[in-house]
Amino acid sequence: MAEKYSIGEFAKKTGTTIRALRYYDEIHLLKPTLVSPSGRRYYSNNDIIQLQKIVALKFLGYSLEKISEFLHLKDWDLKDSLAFQKQEMMQRKEHIERVIRALDHALHMMEDQGTVNSSIFISLINNIQMEDEHKEWLKGLIPENKVETLYDISEEKQQELNTRTALLFTKMKEAVGKNPESDDVQELIKQYMDITEDVLGGSLELIQDLINSQVEIEDDPKLFPSPFTPEEEEWVGKAMEVYLIRKGVIADGNETS
Amino acid sequence: MAEKYSIGEFAKKTGTTIRALRYYDEIHLLKPTLVSPSGRRYYSNNDIIQLQKIVALKFLGYSLEKISEFLHLKDWDLKDSLAFQKQEMMQRKEHIERVIRALDHALHMMEDQGTVNSSIFISLINNIQMEDEHKEWLKGLIPENKVETLYDISEEKQQELNTRTALLFTKMKEAVGKNPESDDVQELIKQYMDITEDVLGGSLELIQDLINSQVEIEDDPKLFPSPFTPEEEEWVGKAMEVYLIRKGVIADGNETS
DNA sequence: CATAAAACCTAACGTAACGGGAGAAGCAAG
DNA sequence: CTTGCTTCTCCCGTTACGTTAGGTTTTATG
């Protein structure tokens, strides 16, 4: 009943380590019942109970400091604290889920294409990481409900879009330097527009709205890291211009008035 | 194009902190393009790209050391690493989900009963924390498929069982010291047996098997922290004995042969 | 051009919860 | 008495920075 355990026995019995027990002693979280004149620690059955409390609260995600408070105040008014702790854990869970989603997208892309340009990879990850911020940003440009419908598409669809976009960007990067007016370059641009239309659900007004406000996007690398280098971007810009002029969406700056 | 940013500008542009940038410099993760004679750091657009890679990989859960390797080896054979990372993250997610489940049970109990004895609380948490270990342990006693059916019950049912058990244990703790043969004590024991039967699905053989092997349980506090103190446990043992004798399940040690 | 204000620098300690090692001392058995 | 096991007390290392402290440089302004 009044058993005494050396620190080694106690550690084995409770599944902790000697070092942890000494640490708990040091921070006054769990002191051994008895310390011999030579400094050896001896624990009792009572200490087992205390340690179990510590282990349980640690499992729930509390810091040793918080646990110290709980055990010392002896008040056990966990209720509020538990609810708070749950909120915390839910947030962590959401974060991890987002990370997993990003990893899934990346893996899907890799499987589909073997290897991937790092800049494209980065901007894909960023899209997921910054999803909420992007939404907020978009809400400053177009009505809120439209933003929600934009983002309300299935995971598979998103993966497919991302993979298609990545593949296309890869091709575009390879084509940099070619004549922007050539047929194959214009075909790439067309594919890009197709994807964009697909995303926006074919509503051309949105495209127009976005194009008009696009001036601001470029130089906010923390919100929108570009998958293209400045040179690439310039080239893409030219090709895009040609495309839009041919489509008659914008005016030809070279035409004689 | 060949813009130079002071560390402050750069931090703002990229959404990091000055301290972090200095740290990245220190660990050779991201060195500024230019350092003035007086020691001031100046970053270029190229550094923005590098930093974005770092941020993206950090989001995916990699340590700065790993990131350093990736960026230095320039190999970008992420594929395997991504899959591994996903496994890691899935594990973390599972862990967190278990914690949340434990928190839910605890909260449910608190709501139902206002306050709860700490020992009971601990053993509830432990039940969830050690679920897998308990399963393994049980599989050493009864057939594996029976173990699985035992644990294959809905979350609500489990919460209800836990809450009922907790309430019952509380009452039992209050009754400690009373005559084990009295009607109200025996009623408590009966309720306990009802719950046990409920859990085991009424299969009495299992109960018998478990009772026979129960000798081992008691002194493994790391696997089964008891919600009762030794004295309480002894009292419960007596009451249980009376109950089982009256039921005729075990023999009366006092009866004259 | 002088000075004040803003930005920047290095150096160093603090964080959470121990892990691990060095070197010394206690303790039971042969 | 010696051997071998256990335990003891320092003390450094871990991660990714945050946070002073105290000094220098750059920029803005009068």
Side-chain angles (χ1 to χ4, degrees):
Chain A
M1 188 124 297
E3 291 260 12
K4 295 288 164 202
Y5 311 101
S6 73
I7 195 170
E9 292 168 339
F10 192 69
K12 241 170 233 166
K13 225 180 167 46
T14 57
T16 50
T17 68
I18 293 179
R19 184 64 181 87
L21 289 170
R22 284 206 270 252
Y23 181 62
Y24 294 162
D25 184 0
E26 190 184 328
I27 63 172
H28 314 295
L29 176 56
L30 176 63
K31 301 230 165 244
T33 309
L34 178 80
V35 178
S36 82
S38 66
R40 262 128 200 255
R41 297 172 177 82
Y42 292 97
Y43 295 86
S44 68
N45 282 324
N46 215 335
D47 294 325
I48 295 186
I49 298 177
Q50 280 304 107
L51 186 54
Q52 280 163 356
K53 291 183 191 172
I54 293 169
V55 170
L57 291 172
K58 228 165 58 113
F59 175 73
L60 295 183
Y62 290 101
S63 71
L64 295 187
E65 201 185 341
K66 283 274 170 206
I67 296 177
S68 246
E69 284 174 32
F70 283 139
L71 297 188
H72 206 74
L73 286 179
K74 212 66 188 171
D75 226 14
W76 283 96
D77 171 32
L78 280 175
K79 196 97 180 301
D80 289 351
S81 177
L82 285 176
F84 177 79
Q85 194 67 10
K86 191 185 164 187
Q87 291 307 113
E88 284 275 297
M89 290 299 151
M90 299 276 275
Q91 280 196 357
R92 282 199 210 174
K93 190 185 160 194
E94 262 182 59
H95 177 80
I96 288 193
E97 276 169 348
R98 188 164 294 200
V99 171
I100 291 177
R101 219 154 57 81
L103 285 166
D104 275 338
H105 280 243
L107 278 166
H108 189 262
M109 235 171 59
M110 295 298 238
E111 261 171 46
D112 198 74
Q113 301 169 38
T115 181
V116 151
N117 175 283
S118 64
S119 302
I120 296 174
F121 178 81
I122 302 306
S123 76
L124 162 68
I125 303 299
N126 182 268
N127 266 349
I128 295 169
Q129 183 183 1
M130 297 291 191
E131 199 174 279
D132 292 348
E133 287 84 346
H134 287 177
K135 271 193 193 175
E136 287 310 310
W137 176 84
L138 258 182
K139 282 178 187 169
L141 299 176
I142 60 176
E144 190 164 332
N145 56 339
K146 294 218 174 186
V147 176
E148 292 301 340
T149 36
L150 274 187
Y151 276 92
D152 185 27
I153 55 182
S154 78
E155 200 36 37
E156 296 80 41
K157 180 79 179 171
Q158 267 203 52
Q159 282 206 5
E160 187 224 313
L161 281 172
N162 272 330
T163 308
R164 255 170 67 199
T165 309
L167 187 57
L168 181 58
F169 280 0
T170 305
K171 284 187 189 158
M172 282 168 78
K173 272 169 176 285
E174 284 163 1
V176 167
K178 283 192 184 176
N179 181 6
E181 306 195 5
S182 68
D183 284 353
D184 39 354
V185 169
Q186 286 299 308
E187 170 61 22
L188 290 177
I189 301 291
K190 181 182 172 308
Q191 283 180 33
Y192 176 66
M193 292 316 248
D194 286 349
I195 293 181
T196 308
E197 253 190 71
D198 200 352
V199 172
L200 298 183
S203 62
L204 280 171
E205 343 143 24
L206 277 183
I207 300 183
Q208 282 293 353
D209 287 357
L210 289 176
I211 287 178
N212 290 340
S213 58
Q214 207 169 20
V215 216
E216 301 286 334
I217 296 186
E218 315 277 317
D219 48 302
D220 195 350
K222 81 179 157 197
L223 211 51
F224 298 99
S226 166
F228 296 114
T229 66
E231 305 87 54
E232 288 167 350
E233 208 144 325
E234 206 197 324
W235 178 84
V236 172
K238 270 194 196 124
M240 189 85 80
E241 209 182 323
V242 172
Y243 179 89
L244 291 175
I245 289 171
R246 290 193 186 165
K247 275 280 181 182
V249 180
I250 62 174
D252 182 353
N254 287 338
E255 72 183 349
T256 46
S257 62
Chain B
M1 187 126 298
E3 290 261 11
K4 296 286 164 204
Y5 311 100
S6 73
I7 195 171
E9 291 167 341
F10 192 68
K12 240 172 233 164
K13 224 180 167 49
T14 58
T16 50
T17 68
I18 292 180
R19 183 62 179 94
L21 289 171
R22 285 207 269 249
Y23 181 63
Y24 296 160
D25 185 0
E26 190 184 330
I27 64 172
H28 314 296
L29 176 57
L30 176 63
K31 300 231 166 243
T33 309
L34 179 81
V35 179
S36 81
S38 65
R40 260 128 200 247
R41 298 172 178 81
Y42 291 97
Y43 295 85
S44 69
N45 281 325
N46 214 338
D47 295 325
I48 294 187
I49 297 177
Q50 280 305 106
L51 186 54
Q52 278 162 359
K53 292 183 190 171
I54 294 169
V55 170
L57 290 172
K58 228 166 56 112
F59 174 73
L60 295 183
Y62 290 101
S63 70
L64 295 188
E65 201 186 340
K66 284 272 170 210
I67 296 176
S68 247
E69 284 174 32
F70 282 138
L71 296 188
H72 207 73
L73 287 179
K74 210 68 187 173
D75 227 15
W76 281 97
D77 171 34
L78 279 175
K79 196 97 180 301
D80 289 351
S81 177
L82 286 176
F84 177 80
Q85 195 67 12
K86 190 185 165 186
Q87 292 306 320
E88 284 275 297
M89 289 299 150
M90 299 277 276
Q91 280 195 359
R92 282 199 210 174
K93 188 186 162 193
E94 262 182 58
H95 178 82
I96 289 193
E97 275 169 350
R98 188 163 294 200
V99 171
I100 290 176
R101 217 154 58 79
L103 285 166
D104 274 337
H105 280 242
L107 279 166
H108 188 261
M109 234 171 59
M110 295 298 240
E111 260 171 46
D112 198 74
Q113 300 169 40
T115 180
V116 151
N117 174 284
S118 65
S119 302
I120 296 174
F121 178 81
I122 302 305
S123 73
L124 163 68
I125 303 298
N126 182 271
N127 267 347
I128 296 168
Q129 183 183 0
M130 297 291 189
E131 199 174 277
D132 293 346
E133 288 84 347
H134 286 176
K135 271 193 191 175
E136 287 310 309
W137 176 83
L138 257 182
K139 282 177 186 168
L141 300 175
I142 60 176
E144 189 165 332
N145 58 338
K146 293 217 175 185
V147 176
E148 292 301 341
T149 38
L150 275 186
Y151 275 93
D152 184 26
I153 54 181
S154 76
E155 196 42 30
E156 297 80 41
K157 179 80 179 172
Q158 268 205 49
Q159 282 206 5
E160 187 224 314
L161 281 172
N162 272 330
T163 308
R164 254 171 68 200
T165 309
L167 187 57
L168 181 58
F169 281 0
T170 305
K171 283 187 191 158
M172 283 168 78
K173 272 169 176 285
E174 283 165 1
V176 167
K178 283 191 183 176
N179 181 5
E181 307 195 6
S182 68
D183 284 353
D184 38 356
V185 169
Q186 286 298 307
E187 170 61 21
L188 290 179
I189 300 293
K190 182 181 171 307
Q191 283 181 34
Y192 176 65
M193 293 316 248
D194 286 350
I195 293 181
T196 308
E197 255 189 68
D198 202 352
V199 172
L200 298 182
S203 63
L204 280 172
E205 344 141 23
L206 278 183
I207 300 184
Q208 283 292 353
D209 289 357
L210 290 176
I211 286 178
N212 290 340
S213 59
Q214 206 168 22
V215 214
E216 301 285 335
I217 296 187
E218 314 277 317
D219 48 304
D220 194 350
K222 82 180 154 195
L223 210 51
F224 298 99
S226 166
F228 295 114
T229 66
E231 306 87 54
E232 287 167 351
E233 208 144 323
E234 205 199 323
W235 177 85
V236 171
K238 272 196 195 123
M240 189 87 78
E241 209 182 321
V242 172
Y243 179 89
L244 290 175
I245 289 171
R246 289 195 186 165
K247 276 279 181 183
V249 179
I250 62 174
D252 183 352
N254 288 336
E255 72 186 347
T256 47
S257 60

